[in-house]
């Protein structure tokens, strides 16, 4: 009996899957493609490198700002800070039974009622012709207090002075300073020495705190960061200079006594002075870079400022005394030139080191490749950062009518970052595609209005 032939089952018609343009270009598709690429070990979409102008690099901006601030501090404090006492006027020879304050040949003179024991070597400096000195000649004399009188002055009045440099034709511009009494000059010198470190730290803190806000056209951030930096630098500079003085003073006294006995700077004395100065500037450097981190409430910026300030203060302190000896020598009556250069070098070092520490320690950042600050890199210093045309945003996109007040939010979640669009009419473009929420990979291109960034991560982060 034949079996009936069964007809094959009908083949179902294939169903048509319809995908809209919005679905094809959605961030979900981008995330799936990025996950697939990540599983293959690929990196983000290659983006144009753009220009890497060092003019917008933080290390360069901070270096210039802090160097200029240190120079300004020197210009303010220098008129009130003298390395030695200075007297100018007609010389009067006096006979006195008082013993000389130093164990060296010389004679007692008087300028403007001030007795000075003038050393013979001041009138006959090595390598120069002897200086003729007659009663009534108008001269300028640089003088100092002998070391053994500084800590234990006589019961009445101030310690005696010895003159070690004579100026035979003194400039008239120094006449007003040269007629001040010893008490007035002594008080001014103490005030200058007391304010030197705090004022320098305060102005460097002001410059570092305000620099990024000024570059990014954010006056509110500049004022807040600069104000906090000014206050933090001054208080920290005053406290740390006092602490450094307590640790440095006993050793410095021993070194100074050795120099006084040898009538020259010995290697031991120079080393002690160098270490003491380095200690002081290292401690003061701790406070110079804290302003921006405190103002923006960012632990990362606070850490970068602290570490960079310490390293910069250390380098600047190490260079201070060698620069002085190189520029003006051991017996120069005034160290204003070396102090100007040394303070400026300290500012440059502190600013540059804060930027370098940030450069080496950062994990993720945005680099602007198209826009008004093309070449600048924006550190992701908070877990959530706003991008938009409002000055209150963390990244301010100015002069762009296509950007909303708060256009996007950048979030750091664990080891990765994502960006969320906050403005539907002009969406954020990730690698040329609109995205409402997208995880970022190294090399991704982010377009907001007319501004284009590249998201970058430190290798291995």
């Amino acid at each position: 009996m034949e079996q009936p032939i069964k007809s094959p089952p009908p083949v179902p018609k294939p169903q048509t899957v319809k995908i809209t343009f919005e679905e094809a270009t959605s961030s979900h598709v981008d995330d799936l493609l990025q996950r697939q690429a990540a599983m293959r070990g690929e990196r983000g979409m290659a983006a144009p490198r753009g220009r890497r102008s060092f003019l917008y690099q933080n290390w360069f901006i901070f270096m210039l700002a802090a160097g200029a601030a240190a120079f300004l501090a020197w210009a303010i404090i220098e008129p009130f800070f003298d390395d030695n006492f200075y007297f100018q006027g007609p010389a009067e020879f006096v006979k006195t039974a008082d013993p000389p304050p130093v164990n060296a040949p010389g004679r007692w003179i008087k300028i403007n009622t001030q007795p000075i024991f003038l050393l013979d070597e001041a009138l006959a400096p090595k390598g120069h012709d002897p200086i003729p000195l007659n009663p009534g000649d108008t001269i300028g004399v640089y003088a100092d207090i002998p070391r053994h009188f500084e800590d234990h002055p006589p019961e009445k009045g101030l310690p005696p002075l010895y003159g070690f440099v004579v100026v035979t034709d003194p400039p008239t511009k120094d006449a007003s300073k040269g007629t001040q009494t010893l008490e007035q000059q002594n008080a001014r010198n103490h005030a200058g020495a007391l304010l030197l470190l705090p004022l320098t730290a305060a102005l460097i803190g002001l410059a570092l705190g305000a620099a990024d806000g000024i570059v990014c056209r954010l006056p509110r951030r500049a004022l807040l960061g600069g104000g906090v930096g000014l206050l933090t630098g001054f208080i920290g500079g005053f406290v740390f200079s006092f602490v450094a003085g307590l640790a440095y003073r006993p050793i410095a006294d021993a070194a100074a006594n050795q120099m006084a006995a040898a009538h020259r700077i010995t290697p031991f004395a120079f080393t002690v002075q160098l270490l003491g100065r380095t200690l002081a500037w290292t401690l003061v450097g701790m406070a110079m870079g804290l302003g921006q981190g405190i103002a923006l409430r960012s632990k990362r910026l606070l850490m970068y400022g602290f570490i960079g300030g310490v390293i910069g203060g250390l380098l600047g302190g190490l260079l201070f005394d060698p620069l002085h000896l190189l520029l003006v020598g051991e017996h120069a009556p005034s160290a204003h030139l070396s102090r100007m250069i040394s303070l400026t070098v300290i500012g440059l070092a502190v600013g540059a080191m804060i930027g370098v520490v940030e450069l080496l320690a950062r994990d993720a950042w945005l680099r602007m490749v198209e826009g008004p600050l093309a070449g600048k890199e924006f550190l992701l210093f908070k877990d959530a950062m706003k991008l938009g045309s409002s000055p209150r945003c963390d990244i301010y996109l100015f002069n762009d009518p296509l950007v909303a007040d708060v256009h996007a939010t950048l979030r750091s979640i664990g080891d990765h970052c994502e960006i969320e669009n906050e403005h539907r009419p002009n969406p954020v473009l990730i690698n040329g595609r609109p995205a409402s929420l997208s995880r970022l990979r190294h090399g991704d291109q982010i377009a907001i209005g007319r501004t284009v960034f590249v998201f970058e991560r430190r290798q291995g982060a």
Side-chain angles (χ1 to χ4, degrees), residues 52-316:
R52 280 187 182 270
S53 173
F54 69 92
L55 296 175
Y56 284 128
Q57 296 295 313
N58 278 353
W59 65 266
F60 184 75
I61 294 172
F62 289 161
M63 181 180 70
L64 288 186
F71 177 83
L72 178 61
W74 170 84
I76 293 173
I77 200 70
E78 189 62 31
F80 305 95
F81 190 93
D82 287 325
D83 301 280
N84 302 283
F85 301 104
Y86 178 75
F87 299 91
Q88 182 174 320
E92 177 185 351
F93 293 97
V94 296
K95 294 181 179 180
T96 175
D98 294 338
V102 292
N103 187 21
R107 65 174 69 180
W108 284 99
I109 66 170
K110 186 180 290 185
I111 298 180
N112 301 328
T113 72
Q114 174 61 49
I116 302 173
F117 186 77
L118 186 61
L119 298 175
D120 283 350
E121 64 183 42
L123 295 173
K126 294 180 180 179
H128 296 82
D129 296 330
I131 300 174
L133 181 60
N134 300 308
D137 289 348
T138 298
I139 61 172
V141 175
Y142 288 94
D144 204 355
I145 299 175
R147 170 59 56 177
H148 59 279
F149 281 105
E150 285 189 357
D151 298 322
H152 303 285
E155 295 182 1
K156 295 182 180 181
L158 291 172
L161 296 174
Y162 71 93
F164 59 92
V165 171
V166 172
V167 181
T168 55
D169 188 17
T172 55
K173 65 178 182 179
D174 294 337
S176 59
K177 183 172 67 174
T179 56
Q180 292 181 347
T181 65
L182 178 59
E183 290 84 353
Q184 291 173 329
Q185 294 190 45
N186 193 53
R188 189 186 64 209
N189 288 351
H190 278 296
L194 185 66
L195 292 175
L196 177 63
L197 269 67
L199 179 63
T200 305
L203 292 184
I204 290 178
L206 168 65
L208 292 175
D212 195 60
I214 294 174
V215 171
C216 295
R217 316 287 177 86
L218 292 168
R220 181 175 176 272
R221 181 189 295 183
L223 290 173
L224 181 60
V228 174
L230 177 72
L231 185 62
T232 305
F234 185 82
I235 295 175
F238 188 83
V239 172
F240 287 131
S241 62
F242 179 75
V243 172
L246 291 178
Y248 167 61
R249 183 72 187 198
I251 306 176
D253 286 343
N257 290 332
Q258 188 185 67
M259 283 192 295
H263 299 289
R264 62 182 181 87
I265 296 181
T266 63
F268 170 76
F270 178 77
T271 302
V272 169
Q273 183 171 323
L274 178 65
L275 293 178
R277 190 100 63 184
T278 302
L279 172 64
W281 283 112
T282 301
L283 292 175
V284 173
M286 294 180 182
M288 293 182 184
L290 302 181
Q292 189 179 25
I294 296 175
L296 298 179
R297 300 178 182 179
S298 170
K299 294 181 180 179
R300 293 182 184 178
L301 294 180
L302 196 66
M303 179 185 67
Y304 299 157
F306 177 82
I307 297 175
V310 169
I311 298 175
L314 173 66
L315 294 176

Side-chain angles (χ1 to χ4, degrees), residues 386-390 392-393 403-409 421-423:
K386 301 290 186 181
L387 295 84
S389 61
S390 171
R392 293 184 177 274
C393 288
V403 179
D405 288 349
V406 179
H407 204 108
T409 301
N421 179 39
E422 305 281 2
H423 187 65

Side-chain angles (χ1 to χ4, degrees), residues 423-440:
H423 187 65
R424 294 187 180 276
N426 293 316
V428 176
L429 302 180
I430 306 298
N431 300 326
R433 296 182 177 181
S436 57
L437 180 65
S438 179
R439 181 177 294 184
L440 297 173

